[in-house]
Amino acid sequence: MLHDLALTTPLLILLFAALFTLVVDPFLPPEEGNRRFWGYFGAAASLTSVLAAALLWKFGPHEMQTAPFAYHLSATGYSLFFVALVGLCAALTHLASPRYLVEHGIAYGEFYALLHFATFGMATMISAESLITLFIGLEIMSMSVYVLVAFKRTSAASVEAGLKYFIMGSVASALLLYGTAFLYGLSGGTSFVEIQRALTKPTTGNDDLYLGLAVALTASAFLFKVAAAPLHMWAPDAYEGAPTPITGYMASAVKVAGFAAFLKFLYACLSGPAVDELHTALPKILATVAVLSMTLGNLIALSQRSAKRTLAYSSIAHAGYLLLGCVAWVADPALAGYHQPSGAVPFYLVGYALASLAAFAALASVGKGGEEQTGEVQLVGMGRQYPFAGAVLGLAMISLAGVPPTLGFFGKLQLARDVLAVDDAKYLPHIIILVLNSVVSAYYYLRITVWVYMRPEARQPRQYLTEPSLQWAMGIAAAGLLLIGLLPQRAMNIGQRSVAQIRTGVALQHLKYEFAQQGPQKVAEPVAVAPEAAEAAPGPAPAPAAPVAQGE
Amino acid sequence: MDANLSQTWLQTVTGGGFPLLTVLTLLPTLFALGSFLIPGEQSWVHKALGFSGSIVVLLVALAVFAGVNVAVPGMQLVDDYAWIEAIGARWTLGIDGLSLPYILLTAGLVPLVFAGAWTSIDKRWKEFTIAMLVLETGMIGSLLATDLLVFYVFWEVMLVPMYLIIGIWGGKDRIVATVKFFLYTMFGSLLMLVAILYLYHKGSGTFSLSALTGAQLTDKEQLWLFAAFALAFLIKVPAFPFHTWLPDAHTEAPTPGSVILAGVMLKLGTYGLLRFAIPLFPAAMGKAAPLLAILATIGIVFGALMAYVQTDVKRLVAYSSVSHLGFVLLGIAIFNEEALQGAILQGVNHGLSTGALFLLVGFLYERRHTRDIAEFGGIAKRMPVYAAFFVFVTMSSVALPLTNGFVGEFLIFAGSFKEGVQSSILPRPDGMVPWRTVVLVCTGISTLGIVLGAVYMLSMVRRVFFGGITKSANELLRDLSLRERVIVGILSVFIVWIGVAPAGWLKLSEATVHAMVQPIRPQIQQVRSPADYQRELRTATIRIGQPVKAP
């Protein structure tokens, strides 16, 4: 029990940080310094959680031993990697927030507590090994983020954004629950292991339909969370209305958590003979959604006038790129044959999260005196009057556009490489569409750099937020983009290692058990088929003869 | 013939010692980092840092030159280190006779550009220094890379600094021009990236050029992959239908940007064709060669005609680049030794003479803040030294004998006439593109292009420099300062040197070109004209300027 608790340290740190903030904040005098303290505290707590995850990774792999944990939570390399990534996103958001909140008159301690809760929810969702835990994590995250989006109570846009997000998000949660119900009905269990064990037997009759329904419903919920078209409608309004650091948090951490949980669900839960037919259909569906999402996101982003809204649509496009990466994952024979899936998506997520955080931190520095606009007028001259933020924003744009030597390029490279490897370049057209989309997206990313660097400036200089913590947030994200971009080897390996450890030991043991049972069946099948094959094609005939010859 | 074994010109000759090429590539960025760390208030620090940094780079480039044995084909001074093992990309750099002339050109031009920018860049020197030095790293890296991914990374690294140079320090319509430049180039290079990845999967997970030259591809795959590579390079060159970004970019770019763009970056397009597209897909090149030759010819004539009607001096020089690069492209399309030698040398020549022209136009612009031809007239009276230099460089640009332009263009035409005449001896096999006709017609028309070149350049010179002074503003023009004279003087020395004694310069790439043509040309010829190929095998020993040996 204690051992298992120790493995959840990263989660517990986040939870206690949230509770500590909530309990202590009311007793502090409402001074500006105290409000800002929570930002530093939050960053420290999140980084401690990252450190805990890193230590567990380093001295792991550890397995949950008691049943209550083992069937509901995991501390595999996969979970730890994404918990650490989400923790890093949270830390940078904490650093970017304090001055912004003061400037906009919303410096309340609850903000930081909610951020911790949201991060805790994500960590739970990522570590979940059962649909119930997954749902609880998702709800903790969603509820906190709804409130954070609407945190600027005095701003109608912010409240509207929060309400929209809440209503649509509730529908997504309902879809997830409905899908879970179907899966429960099919398998008799809610943990991934149980579901997968049930699905190792071929389906009969109507089960196929229900399985399809279950996957469609659950997948829609995840697609909603990662803002993929056509379930993206909430994103632009929510992104634009939310306080800028929260927009960065949504673009990075929420997307990371959504993809991490989605992939784990697809891989650890929905694989086995029962879903074979599904696995011929699923890549096609995902690829179609991916193409739709990237094209729609990029085309609409072209006509936006505000940097924040542009980046909201760009995040829809990036969801599309990532979904194409998921195709490499799902279409991999790995799902049927238990090989190692592609590490492209985790690696891409690192680059995308860092670039988003850098961009929104830089945009947060524009909002002096409660101003929420991030259009051309506000950004012109930034490169000269606040060179640091201008450079960070420019770098983030270059990285999002996928130009080397930034991290964004290597993410796209590895993604394209892995998708091309599927079925002998079957998805080549999709890759070409991705590439053309990158060119389209470069136009609006460049437009932001044009505003920052090239347009003639206004007469009177603008005021920018030059808070050290905000600069640290920008600096860390930008340094990550450049340094990991120049030497991506290590990060790629970590991503690959994380996906290699996606299954828990418990699940592996169960699968071994199932396959031991299935063993005779599996052998029997080829024997039954063999005479037909031998008649149809004389080619393979010498192969069975070989062992005989050896025997003699 | 086993394609893989015969590619001796891509095999490593020397390497494994001191990583001189890595140093050469990364040194400019190191200086850029230094500039990044120094506050930007005092621009002279950054000017000095940029200039001295690029001089150091030039010295290292000369050390590389000293270390290369040009008589031996193959990759020399090779650096080979692990980079991204997860996807099988290695940090491999190498130099041979194909890249050596352009390395020297690049390293030589950048200090001159810094000197030339001394007064023409009037703001944000810190950013300018950083951008220019990073750009230098990108150019040198693209020229040295022998790993496709390393090449691609450097190829794209060039993009951002040039985007900033045009966009921040450029003229009135700089933003449209620079975004156009960026998007055009990125479009081409991203399709090339897809092709690289496809090739990577076909070639069992490596990006190494020498390993991929033997990849087994079907004809259809070769053609599509070649199309993707060629599109990226033809946009950069720029060849005829893809040239529309160039006049804008050149005209709006500040003088240093124009010089680098014309001097080095355009040449990287032709270099990429020679280094990557053709060796990787020779059979596709065989099919595409007539099209390339036709595009080159259209570019020569179209560029010249467009240049003739320009009213802006800089735009005129920009269109003349389209025309000049057409000659280089023609030489590549012909792909025999004379034409290739000419194409490589003509690339260097164009860098020198067009670079000098852009610098000179820039000097005039600094004085008058206009480039409209109608605004000038008779300024030879006020600026005699300037006029002398300008007319001299013009002569080089129109390929007057004893200047460098003549040598390059003569070699290209010698090669293409030889090709046309040789391949016209035997009757055409059925169903093939009439290569002989294409070559002869294209060569004939291109020769006229030289005349057109003289027409537009000389008429511009007449309108700008001679006659009476019509505008009062021109009365007070200063002649060139010492700094300006030195800059153009250095370029002029090389113009004469190559023009009078080209043998040493041609030797730089001779061995490599010979070794490159040997294995690749037969593969092109097999596709292009089987009968010619048979005949050519018999007469392979007959080469211009050499005694005929018995077979």
Side-chain angles (χ1 to χ4, degrees), chain A residues 384 401 404 409-410 413 416-417 420-421 424 435-436 439 442-443 446 449-450 453-455 486 488-489 492, chain B residues 83-87 124 149 152 156-157 163 167 174-175 179 182-183 186-187 190 194 197-198 200-202:
Chain A
R384 185 172 179 77
F409 165 71
F410 289 100
L413 175 78
R417 162 184 171 263
L420 263 186
D424 197 20
V435 155
L436 295 180
V439 180
Y443 178 75
L446 286 187
T449 61
V450 163
Y453 278 108
M454 299 175 191
R455 290 250 185 250
L486 289 173
Q489 163 74 9
M492 277 185 182
Chain B
W83 183 38
I84 316 177
E85 275 170 20
I87 58 173
R124 299 165 93 170
L149 191 67
Y152 184 82
E156 293 278 282
V157 162
Y163 164 74
R174 59 186 187 276
I175 292 170
V179 170
F182 194 103
L183 292 183
M186 192 177 176
F187 171 76
L190 275 173
V194 176
L197 282 173
Y198 191 89
Y200 165 85
H201 282 297
K202 290 286 161 188

Side-chain angles (χ1 to χ4, degrees), chain B residues 119-445:
Chain B
T119 52
S120 72
I121 296 295
D122 52 357
K123 57 175 182 181
R124 299 165 93 170
W125 257 91
K126 176 178 174 173
E127 285 88 346
F128 178 78
T129 310
I130 295 173
M132 190 53 87
L133 288 171
V134 172
L135 181 61
E136 190 176 11
T137 286
M139 294 185 295
I140 293 178
S142 315
L143 286 167
L144 294 179
T146 55
D147 179 290
L148 285 171
L149 191 67
V150 177
F151 169 74
Y152 184 82
V153 167
F154 280 119
W155 179 263
E156 293 278 282
V157 162
M158 291 190 299
L159 210 51
V160 177
M162 190 42 104
Y163 164 74
L164 291 175
I165 287 175
I166 301 176
I168 296 180
W169 295 276
K172 193 159 76 336
D173 294 327
R174 59 186 187 276
I175 292 170
V176 176
T178 193
V179 170
K180 204 171 173 183
F181 160 74
F182 194 103
L183 292 183
Y184 253 92
T185 319
M186 192 177 176
F187 171 76
S189 40
L190 275 173
L191 285 179
M192 178 170 75
L193 179 65
V194 176
I196 289 176
L197 282 173
Y198 191 89
L199 199 59
Y200 165 85
H201 282 297
K202 290 286 161 188
S204 63
T206 172
F207 288 106
S208 157
L209 176 63
S210 57
L212 286 175
T213 38
Q216 296 298 318
L217 300 168
T218 64
D219 280 0
K220 202 176 153 195
E221 281 172 339
Q222 275 226 7
L223 210 57
W224 280 106
L225 293 175
F226 179 78
F229 272 76
L231 182 68
F233 296 134
L234 291 183
I235 287 177
K236 199 79 160 189
V237 166
F240 163 63
F242 314 112
H243 68 280
T244 49
W245 63 270
L246 179 103
D248 286 346
H250 262 320
T251 314
E252 297 304 328
T255 307
S258 303
V259 175
I260 289 297
L261 201 56
V264 185
M265 285 176 81
L266 304 189
K267 261 36 81 48
L268 280 163
T270 54
Y271 171 81
L273 279 175
L274 282 178
R275 167 75 74 205
F276 297 101
I278 297 174
L280 284 172
F281 319 109
M285 173 63 187
K287 292 202 181 85
L291 183 65
L292 278 185
I294 292 169
L295 287 184
T297 312
I298 296 177
I300 291 169
V301 176
F302 176 83
L305 292 177
M306 286 301 282
Y308 184 64
V309 296
Q310 297 306 315
T311 55
D312 182 316
V313 185
K314 208 167 174 187
R315 226 178 159 78
L316 186 148
V317 180
Y319 272 109
S320 84
S321 283
V322 177
S323 185
H324 283 265
L325 265 296
F327 290 113
V328 181
L329 201 59
L330 181 68
I332 290 172
I334 300 298
F335 211 84
N336 58 21
E337 281 188 41
E338 293 80 9
L340 278 188
Q341 283 268 42
I344 294 169
L345 187 68
Q346 186 61 11
V348 177
N349 294 340
H350 176 259
L352 293 172
S353 54
T354 308
L357 277 179
F358 274 121
L359 280 167
L360 286 166
V361 172
F363 294 154
L364 193 59
Y365 181 76
E366 276 178 59
R367 288 167 170 73
R368 275 294 314 273
H369 295 284
T370 177
R371 293 184 301 253
D372 195 349
I373 295 176
E375 284 291 315
F376 301 108
I379 62 172
K381 294 192 176 64
R382 293 288 168 271
M383 304 172 75
V385 179
Y386 178 82
F389 272 124
F390 202 105
V391 171
F392 173 73
V393 175
T394 302
M395 291 307 140
S396 142
S397 180
V398 302
L400 195 76
L402 291 184
T403 63
N404 58 355
F406 174 74
V407 181
E409 290 184 3
F410 178 79
L411 276 170
I412 293 172
F413 286 128
S416 58
F417 269 119
K418 177 184 161 199
E419 177 78 13
V421 170
Q422 278 191 349
S423 57
S424 62
I425 298 170
L426 285 180
R428 301 297 315 164
D430 292 335
M432 302 301 296
V433 179
W435 172 239
R436 161 192 60 183
T437 322
V438 168
V439 171
L440 287 177
V441 170
C442 285
T443 314
I445 297 176

Side-chain angles (χ1 to χ4, degrees), chain B residues 98-128:
Chain B
L98 200 55
S99 42
L100 183 61
Y102 294 119
I103 289 289
L104 294 176
L105 178 71
T106 309
L109 268 184
V110 174
L112 292 181
V113 161
F114 269 109
W118 213 263
T119 52
S120 72
I121 296 295
D122 52 357
K123 57 175 182 181
R124 299 165 93 170
W125 257 91
K126 176 178 174 173
E127 285 88 346
F128 178 78

Side-chain angles (χ1 to χ4, degrees), chain A residues 113-175:
Chain A
L114 282 167
L115 257 182
H116 283 304
F117 274 124
T119 317
F120 168 70
M122 288 169 189
T124 312
M125 180 177 155
I126 291 164
S127 314
E129 286 294 322
S130 82
L131 286 168
I132 296 296
T133 324
L134 176 70
F135 181 74
I136 293 174
L138 187 96
E139 280 303 285
I140 297 175
M141 171 191 91
S142 304
M143 288 298 165
S144 316
V145 177
Y146 298 149
V147 181
L148 284 170
V149 169
F151 207 78
K152 262 180 92 175
R153 290 177 304 182
T154 49
S155 148
S158 175
V159 175
E160 185 195 332
L163 196 63
K164 269 186 186 163
Y165 189 21
F166 174 63
I167 292 172
M168 295 206 227
S170 308
V171 176
S173 301
L175 290 180

